[in-house]
Amino acid sequence: MRGEEEVRLRPPRHRVDRRAVAWWRVRCLLAAAVPAAVAGAVGVFVGPARPGLWYAAAAIAAAGLPVAAFLPLWWYRVHRWEVTEDAVYVRTGALWQEWRIAPMSRIQTVDTVRGPLEQGFRLATVTVTTASAKGDIRIEGLDHARAAELAEQLTRITGATPGDAT
Amino acid sequence: MRDPEAGWRRLDARTVLATSALAAGVAGGAALPALFALGGRMPLPRAVLLVLAGAVLVTGGGAAAGWVRRRRTRYRIGPERAELHTGVLLVKRRSLPRERIRSVDLSARPLLRALGLVTVRIGTGEQTGSGESTLLLDAVSRQEGERLRKELLDRGTPVAGGEGHRDGTLAVLDLRWIRYAPVSFVAPLLGGAAVGAVLQVSEWFGVRDRVIGWTWDHLRDVPLLWAVPALAAFALLTGVVGALGLWIEMWSGYRLEREPGGTLRVRRGLLTSRSISLEERRLRGVDLVEPLGARILGGVRVDAVATGLATGGGEHASSNVLAPVAPRAEAQALAALVLREPASPVREEALTRHPRAARNRRLRWALTAALAPAALLALLGLLFTGVLLWTALVVAAVTVPVAVLLALDAYRNLGHGTSGAYLLTRSGTLRRSTVALQRSGVIGWTVRRSVFQRRAGLLTLAATTAAGAGAYEVRDAARDEALEFADAAVPGLLAPFLERRSGP
């Protein structure tokens, strides 16, 4: 038996595109800037609550800036993906890590999505769905061309793999 | 013979009768208040005449609507597709390919039942949720419903089964099972609802204060310490009676059968009769569910884990229930029969316990949840009034032991393992659930680990599947052991991504 052996999931082979860091940063900044701006703007118009609201806006901004600076770098280190002949394998999450594996024979659809912000950075997200309501796999922050190529490759492999996907 | 109009059928003529009866019921219900309202303003005979005329109009309208609806609705079961055309102004045409039809469920409310009619729901079981994949025939005769069910579900391909696994009746209702009804969570809910309903209805009639006053008068001589438990006991008693009634309504005439085409069929219901079919090809396992009350009395409910079952709320929320709460031995026997196994795959000795770190996590959660309200009360007590400090103490004294007991129980219930062709996982305390999932039904793995779990050497493993809830979790298992387990349960899937090295 393998009693004393230590087992772990090895990291998937590929990193996401380097531009994803900038994209995540912009997303973090927007997520912090919108509530901060709303609180600040309301503070301009509502006299009595002004100091409280401005403090709140300042606190949101103060928390958002370091998060936007460091968290995307951490994500870049941990977000990884890999596609083999038999399976799709993805790792995400910094504090809450998650590894997802779906075999090729069970893949139902492969979608490529590019949000407005992602388009600006020439990035794309590939979503692989299986028959399970909770088995979707998302690979975020891929270079556009890379994503299209990957989607095409996945569609080809799943088309050639027998199985009814359930 | 290629007549495009051939084979079309209509809903049963008695549907018109059902619609008129419904309209008549509405008219009858509205007649009395209307009579009171009008009676104050005009002579009684005239008021009666007016109300009668109104009732006739409403009933006639209902009948006409029913007649038009029947005229405009037709369906056809062709060799390739099942089709339904409906709609008075906007014509809707819906058709389902026959090989994708997964379920044909019949149900009959008391009125339909009295007329010998059933509502038929033909579904492909796709999880689109929009209802686009369902044909609803409301209503056809009972014989026609049975015929549709047989014709659509019988694929004529007998499922190869183990020895001794027969067609026919697998389980029938045992009236002694009703003992599990009062301990279900339905009882306190119904009790609370009953009290709420009394208050609400009395408010409509403007007599709420009188009802409260009446209760108060009867309890005035009783010390408060007894009055509160007495009221709670009364509400609970009402709830228990309600739970018994509900159980009788839901489970009377319960019968689980296996039909020659490889279909499981559940029939039940006292007033509203229901028939739910489940193709055995879609069965991926069973879920033995034990709500706390039932578990204390040794009762287990058997749910099906199947692909393409309607999981939405409402009427179909319970379409995966194979049997009511029954004694453990009988539930296990039923699970074996349903899965065509010689014995139920759910075996206590096949379950691996989880490490102690999982217990510590549960204790920590429980204490946090139990102490949070007490801490809040204590804080308020320090700020405002000393009475709250004592309240905080009492609250903590009650909640902490309960939380600790639940946490220890939750830990004891954690377990996972493999048993033959099945993967087992068990968790939960208020609702303990033991899932046996076919290993071939696992279509992926999700491994999750929070920072806290990482420090404790734990991880949560989820087997994703097309069936049931979509994923079944093994919570807080030891890291190495869980990965080995996943690798062994579904050979080949995880192996390329695992690294092994000798431990320190």
Side-chain angles (χ1 to χ4, degrees), chain B residues 51-210:
Chain B
V51 167
L52 265 181
V56 168
L57 207 67
V58 169
T59 311
W67 184 76
V68 170
R69 193 171 71 90
R70 175 164 182 266
R71 291 273 309 174
R72 304 284 303 184
T73 304
R74 51 186 196 160
Y75 63 95
R76 173 165 73 171
I77 311 300
E80 308 266 304
R81 309 181 75 84
E83 294 167 89
L84 173 68
H85 292 186
T86 53
V88 176
L89 294 174
L90 188 74
V91 178
K92 267 197 286 190
R93 292 161 184 231
R94 191 171 284 176
S95 95
L96 303 178
R98 271 184 69 170
E99 83 264 9
R100 276 179 35 210
I101 290 173
R102 294 284 178 270
S103 64
V104 179
D105 294 342
L106 314 179
S107 75
R109 294 184 302 277
L111 177 63
L112 291 184
R113 209 165 158 187
L115 290 169
L117 298 175
V118 288
T119 306
V120 182
R121 201 177 283 272
I122 302 169
T124 57
E126 272 164 20
Q127 291 167 340
T128 50
S130 57
E132 287 298 310
S133 53
T134 309
L135 298 187
L136 180 68
L137 306 179
D138 184 11
V140 297
S141 72
R142 200 175 294 151
Q143 297 86 338
E144 172 68 1
E146 284 297 323
R147 189 190 70 80
L148 283 171
R149 219 182 66 78
K150 282 226 166 57
E151 186 179 341
L152 288 170
L153 289 182
D154 191 359
R155 319 253 179 216
T157 46
V159 181
E163 283 156 48
H165 284 289
R166 58 193 199 278
D167 290 345
T169 306
L170 302 184
V172 289
L173 189 71
D174 184 336
L175 275 177
R176 283 170 298 176
W177 295 349
I178 200 172
R179 67 173 181 273
Y180 299 112
V183 294
S184 75
F185 289 106
V186 175
L189 282 181
L190 281 179
V195 171
V198 166
L199 291 180
Q200 184 63 51
V201 170
S202 59
E203 195 193 350
W204 286 340
F205 291 100
V207 294
R208 177 148 76 166
D209 291 343
R210 248 195 285 164

Side-chain angles (χ1 to χ4, degrees), chain B residues 156-380:
Chain B
T157 46
V159 181
E163 283 156 48
H165 284 289
R166 58 193 199 278
D167 290 345
T169 306
L170 302 184
V172 289
L173 189 71
D174 184 336
L175 275 177
R176 283 170 298 176
W177 295 349
I178 200 172
R179 67 173 181 273
Y180 299 112
V183 294
S184 75
F185 289 106
V186 175
L189 282 181
L190 281 179
V195 171
V198 166
L199 291 180
Q200 184 63 51
V201 170
S202 59
E203 195 193 350
W204 286 340
F205 291 100
V207 294
R208 177 148 76 166
D209 291 343
R210 248 195 285 164
V211 169
I212 294 175
W214 180 83
T215 316
W216 186 240
D217 283 344
H218 279 74
L219 291 173
R220 187 173 325 175
D221 303 332
V222 186
L224 191 67
L225 207 60
W226 289 108
V228 172
L231 276 179
F234 180 74
L236 201 62
L237 194 69
T238 319
V240 165
V241 172
L244 290 173
L246 200 65
W247 189 90
I248 292 169
E249 206 291 307
M250 279 183 61
W251 293 108
S252 288
Y254 162 77
R255 179 176 278 273
L256 175 67
E257 291 157 313
R258 171 177 283 138
E259 298 184 324
T263 308
L264 293 171
R265 178 185 197 188
V266 176
R267 276 193 286 184
R268 61 192 175 86
L270 178 68
L271 300 175
T272 299
S273 73
R274 307 165 187 88
S275 150
I276 294 153
S277 310
L278 171 72
E279 265 186 296
E280 283 188 274
R281 282 195 302 147
R282 297 189 295 136
L283 198 66
R284 295 287 179 275
V286 292
D287 186 356
L288 301 186
V289 181
E290 297 158 279
L292 186 60
R295 177 149 61 96
I296 291 168
L297 295 188
V300 185
R301 191 180 82 210
V302 184
D303 283 10
V305 174
T307 62
L309 272 185
T311 45
E315 209 181 325
H316 300 281
S318 55
S319 66
N320 61 342
V321 178
L322 289 178
V325 177
R328 174 162 272 278
E330 291 175 56
Q332 288 275 42
L334 180 64
L337 274 177
V338 163
L339 295 171
R340 295 179 185 260
E341 297 288 338
S344 169
V346 179
R347 290 180 295 125
E348 186 68 37
E349 66 274 16
L351 290 168
T352 308
R353 302 283 299 268
H354 291 201
R356 304 214 101 187
R359 192 188 71 169
N360 297 342
R361 290 194 87 203
R362 271 155 192 74
L363 280 172
R364 216 169 298 137
W365 294 335
L367 286 177
T368 313
L371 288 176
L376 187 70
L377 280 174
L379 184 71
L380 290 175

Side-chain angles (χ1 to χ4, degrees), chain B residues 407-454:
Chain B
L408 292 177
D409 183 52
Y411 169 66
R412 251 199 315 279
N413 289 340
L414 285 178
H416 65 275
T418 48
S419 168
Y422 296 85
L423 178 158
L424 303 179
T425 168
R426 188 174 72 185
S427 66
T429 167
L430 295 178
R431 177 187 183 279
R432 182 166 91 165
S433 149
T434 315
V435 175
L437 179 68
Q438 280 171 11
R439 285 151 67 173
S440 58
V442 175
I443 62 171
W445 292 106
T446 302
V447 179
R448 264 189 285 265
R449 190 171 69 173
S450 69
V451 255
F452 311 110
Q453 282 178 310
R454 182 177 190 166

